[in-house]
Amino acid sequence: MTTDKLKQRLQKPKTKKGARLLRAREPQAVEVLKKALFLFGHNTSQVIKDVLADLHKLKWQESVKYTRKNDDVKPFEAGGEASLEHFCKKTDCGLFAVGNHTKKRPHNLLLGRMYNYHLYDMVEFGVVGFKSLGSFGCARCQLGGKPSFLFVGDKFETVPVLKLVKNILLDFFRGRVVKQLNVMGLDRAVVVMAAADDKLAFVHCQINLKKSGTQVPQMELKEIGPRMHLEVRRFREAPADLSKEAHKRLETKKKEKNVDIDTLHNKVGRVYVPRQDVDSMALTKPKGVKRKQREDREQRMGKKTRKPSAHETE
């Protein structure tokens, strides 16, 4: 039996619960939560292990962490993404962070995204000057709080690589999508600064609200870690066909029949009117029409028309 037939056989649901689970794993129009998978590569340094541990704490209850090394996870090599896609599908994660260490690329951190459990895009960083959470002491953060991001530098809007980095970082730390958010829940801030040599400074701070004498409190930033400098090494953008499928918008509203939009963006509708018999309708008619109808009716009944008078014959 081939692999495709085996997948079709295994993915065919036999119960309603299995069908619901498969539908939940399909790409959704609105992603409420994206979980992240943290795992080690074929060789990992202690610095990268600490980086993944701190990032896993920032994504607490929204991530899965593997502690064993995985020799087959090599996303930038041909066929090296198969094992990564398998792990992401197994844990139902749309984001991943891979750490490895080589002589050519020391302290390597790889952040990326998945679409329909296929590798979408990713960026590789080199970690320099890392300072962990524990070195900054105790920090108080509310459960369920969401971090606010501050990107310093216009390169995040002009350089294509940094635009991709900004998009991935926002998607990675976005967390659960909510309709309403309490201001007190914004208790953390992540500052990402772009240097002249395209290196990035990643700083995680706590927001402290203090009295200011007005209704708007005074905000102060206190660094709580982790802190690190990131050097962009390699990156891979999303393929054209996969990007087109991922950006496809589903029509949530039903299309109205016989309704169009004209050139002035006005709503124009067409109304169906059945065929009507005007002759049988009780409408106001002129006297000439009534006389003609009366004469026709009298002829049909076999009656003669009235005789002319004496002065009319003369």
Side-chain angles (χ1 to χ4, degrees), residues 10-23:
L10 294 177
Q11 291 181 356
K12 187 176 181 180
K14 296 182 180 180
T15 60
K16 292 184 178 180
K17 183 178 180 180
R20 288 195 300 268
L21 290 175
L22 289 180
R23 284 196 300 269

Side-chain angles (χ1 to χ4, degrees), residues 34-305:
K34 286 185 178 181
K35 295 195 302 181
L37 175 63
F38 295 87
L39 69 163
F40 301 147
H42 58 282
N43 188 19
T44 310
S45 62
Q46 186 61 38
V47 174
I48 289 298
K49 289 182 179 180
D50 296 340
V51 170
L52 293 179
D54 286 355
L55 294 181
H56 175 61
K57 292 178 182 178
L58 297 182
K59 293 280 293 181
W60 185 65
Q61 288 188 345
E62 297 175 358
S63 60
V64 179
K65 184 181 178 183
Y66 284 177
T67 57
R68 296 182 180 180
K69 67 176 184 178
N70 302 275
D71 297 333
D72 298 334
V73 178
K74 299 177 181 179
F76 279 101
E77 297 182 7
E81 69 275 2
S83 181
L84 179 61
E85 292 174 354
H86 169 71
F87 290 141
C88 289
K89 186 174 182 179
K90 182 180 179 180
T91 56
D92 193 18
C93 293
L95 305 167
F96 62 88
V98 181
N100 51 47
H101 175 76
T102 59
K103 184 177 180 180
K104 186 177 181 181
R105 297 183 178 89
H107 311 309
N108 209 36
L109 176 65
L110 197 150
L111 301 179
R113 296 179 288 184
M114 292 281 178
Y115 175 75
N116 197 12
Y117 305 110
H118 293 288
L119 184 60
Y120 188 71
D121 56 1
M122 55 184 174
V123 180
E124 190 180 61
F125 301 100
V127 180
V128 182
F130 173 73
K131 197 171 182 181
S132 64
L133 275 167
S135 58
F136 287 92
C138 181
R140 296 181 179 179
C141 297
Q142 294 184 6
L143 180 64
K146 300 176 73 65
S148 58
F149 268 78
L150 177 62
F151 291 90
V152 182
D154 55 351
K155 290 186 177 182
F156 291 103
E157 303 296 334
T158 56
V159 181
V161 182
L162 297 185
K163 289 176 66 176
L164 179 62
V165 171
K166 177 182 178 181
N167 196 354
I168 291 178
L169 288 178
L170 288 177
D171 204 7
F172 200 90
F173 294 97
R174 180 184 61 174
R176 186 177 296 274
V177 178
V178 295
K179 295 183 180 180
Q180 295 180 352
L181 181 64
N182 191 355
V183 181
M184 299 300 295
L186 296 173
D187 55 350
R188 294 180 292 124
V190 178
V191 182
V192 184
M193 295 174 286
D197 51 354
D198 291 343
K199 288 186 178 181
L200 306 178
F202 184 93
V203 182
H204 184 224
C205 303
Q206 180 181 357
I207 300 177
N208 296 325
L209 302 179
K210 296 188 176 181
K211 295 182 180 180
S212 61
T214 60
Q215 294 182 354
V216 181
Q218 181 182 358
M219 294 185 295
E220 294 184 359
L221 297 180
K222 178 183 177 182
E223 189 175 358
I224 59 176
R227 181 209 300 170
M228 53 186 167
H229 294 275
L230 302 176
E231 179 185 354
V232 181
R233 290 174 177 172
R234 293 183 293 179
F235 68 96
R236 174 179 170 182
E237 296 182 346
D241 54 346
L242 195 61
S243 177
K244 184 178 179 180
E245 183 180 356
H247 287 81
K248 187 184 298 182
R249 293 187 178 182
L250 301 178
E251 294 183 2
T252 56
K253 296 183 179 180
K254 294 183 178 180
K255 187 178 180 180
E256 300 181 69
K257 294 183 179 180
N258 300 326
V259 176
D260 296 327
I261 304 297
D262 59 3
T263 56
L264 299 178
H265 299 281
N266 295 324
K267 196 173 183 180
V268 181
R270 294 193 299 268
V271 181
Y272 173 74
V273 180
R275 189 172 183 179
Q276 300 177 1
D277 189 3
V278 183
D279 296 334
S280 63
M281 296 178 64
L283 301 175
T284 304
K285 300 178 181 179
K287 291 183 179 181
V289 177
K290 293 181 179 180
R291 187 184 305 113
K292 182 67 170 59
Q293 290 180 355
R294 186 174 61 253
E295 292 176 356
D296 295 341
R297 186 170 59 255
E298 291 176 355
Q299 287 181 3
R300 288 194 301 269
M301 295 175 63
K303 295 182 179 181
K304 297 182 180 180
T305 58

Side-chain angles (χ1 to χ4, degrees), residues 26-32 246 248-250 252:
E26 293 178 354
Q28 306 295 327
V30 178
E31 294 285 352
V32 179
K248 187 184 298 182
R249 293 187 178 182
L250 301 178
T252 56

